[in-house]
Amino acid sequence: MSTSTVVTRAERQTSQSALSKVVIAALLGNVLVNAVLQALVLHTLIVPLTIILALTVVVAGVVATRWRWAPLLAVLWCVLAIIPGMAPYSYNLMHPAEIGTFIATVLGLALYLIAIVAGLTATFAGDRPVAEGRAPGWLYGFLVGVAAFSVGASLVSLIPPSNSNAAAVSPEALAQLPALVATQTKFDRTELRAKVGETVALRLDNRDAQRHYFDVDELNVHVPMPARTAAVALFRPTRPGTYTFYCQVPGHREAGMVDTLIVEP
Ligand SMILES: [Cu+2]
């Protein structure tokens, strides 16, 4: 009599850990993806993201304790962790040409999704699969689906962009243009000057390992500056005034990539 009770409890523990293992793996996988992103792609430490990653490791540790509500805690944590990343995530997903950040974002979100689904299953629907001593069969299908989607989306980002606007300009001509340099997430000039009616041709020299943009909203100028490349901005202001140029990549304007363009009459 008592033997069967013991077996059931042992089975329950084993199987709970099957779903918990998926949650833990997804959480730690997410930490790994973002650590690699910061170290190898961005070459910068994003402090808020790093704090989130550290707490994610802690949550994974709590799940490992097999506390009854730990999977639910993991689900809530994933949702909380995604919210502050909304702006950068949507920016990254809309810019597949930035391969590193795009792939990291797809993988990171896929892993959050896996943690959420596995966590919810462990919390609310865990009983039946628990008795069988393994994760429910559909979970494997779900994992394969998410993996296939991630790989597919990542492949999309590898399609080369149709053209870069600097490709049409010879290196000699490019070298002669006045330059605006972006380095360490800053522009090297706090002020640009232009004359009404005169075409401005700027060499946009990005020395960073990440993409930047040259944006002037009022003049409808939005020029991508691929990493470690020179691009060209061509525009003709028609009204005198003081304008703001900045970089639209999330966080960069706040980091100081915002300066003044003065158009003289
Ligand atoms: Cu930037």
Side-chain angles (χ1 to χ4, degrees):
M1 284 293 186
S2 61
T3 325
S4 75
T5 318
V6 170
V7 168
T8 313
R9 194 170 293 159
E11 277 175 356
R12 174 164 302 188
Q13 290 223 330
T14 330
S15 69
Q16 235 180 8
S17 76
L19 276 171
S20 296
K21 273 180 195 162
V22 173
V23 175
I24 293 168
L27 291 175
L28 296 181
N30 185 289
V31 171
L32 183 70
V33 164
N34 282 288
V36 168
L37 171 72
Q38 294 189 82
L40 300 183
V41 180
L42 302 179
H43 302 282
T44 42
L45 191 77
I46 304 168
V47 176
L49 178 60
T50 306
I51 294 171
I52 288 175
L53 297 183
L55 290 171
T56 304
V57 173
V58 172
V59 172
V62 174
V63 176
T65 67
R66 299 187 183 178
W67 172 46
R68 169 80 177 84
W69 297 105
L72 188 62
L73 175 77
V75 170
L76 293 176
W77 172 246
C78 289
V79 173
L80 271 179
I82 290 172
I83 291 168
M86 285 303 215
Y89 286 148
S90 51
Y91 171 89
N92 293 345
L93 291 178
M94 286 188 304
H95 295 78
E98 291 162 57
I99 298 168
T101 47
F102 179 82
I103 294 178
T105 303
V106 169
L107 286 179
L109 288 175
L111 287 164
Y112 272 136
L113 185 63
I114 289 170
I116 288 171
V117 170
L120 286 176
T121 310
T123 309
F124 297 111
D127 271 351
R128 211 177 313 122
V130 158
E132 290 162 14
R134 57 190 172 85
W138 62 263
L139 188 66
Y140 296 108
F142 170 74
L143 291 178
V144 169
V146 172
F149 171 79
S150 303
V151 170
S154 300
L155 287 178
V156 166
S157 75
L158 296 177
I159 297 168
S162 55
N163 71 321
S164 148
N165 65 353
V169 183
S170 75
E172 295 78 18
L174 203 55
Q176 288 182 359
L177 296 178
L180 175 69
V181 178
T183 172
Q184 298 188 321
T185 320
K186 293 269 186 311
F187 289 119
D188 70 330
R189 290 157 70 171
T190 55
E191 196 181 285
L192 288 173
R193 284 183 179 268
K195 281 231 157 85
V196 167
E198 283 183 13
T199 300
V200 178
L202 267 183
R203 183 174 84 245
L204 302 171
D205 225 336
N206 182 2
R207 296 187 187 159
D208 281 343
Q210 59 173 323
R211 170 172 291 217
H212 292 298
Y213 269 83
F214 176 76
D215 297 283
V216 189
D217 289 345
E218 298 94 332
L219 304 178
N220 200 21
V221 173
H222 303 283
V223 184
M225 300 170 63
R228 299 194 201 285
T229 311
V232 177
L234 268 182
F235 58 95
R236 195 156 61 97
T238 53
R239 254 183 261 165
T242 303
Y243 302 88
T244 298
F245 67 92
Y246 68 98
C247 169
Q248 65 170 279
V249 176
H252 289 200
R253 188 175 179 150
E254 293 76 6
M257 293 193 86
V258 52
D259 294 288
T260 306
L261 166 70
I262 296 169
V263 178
E264 294 160 339

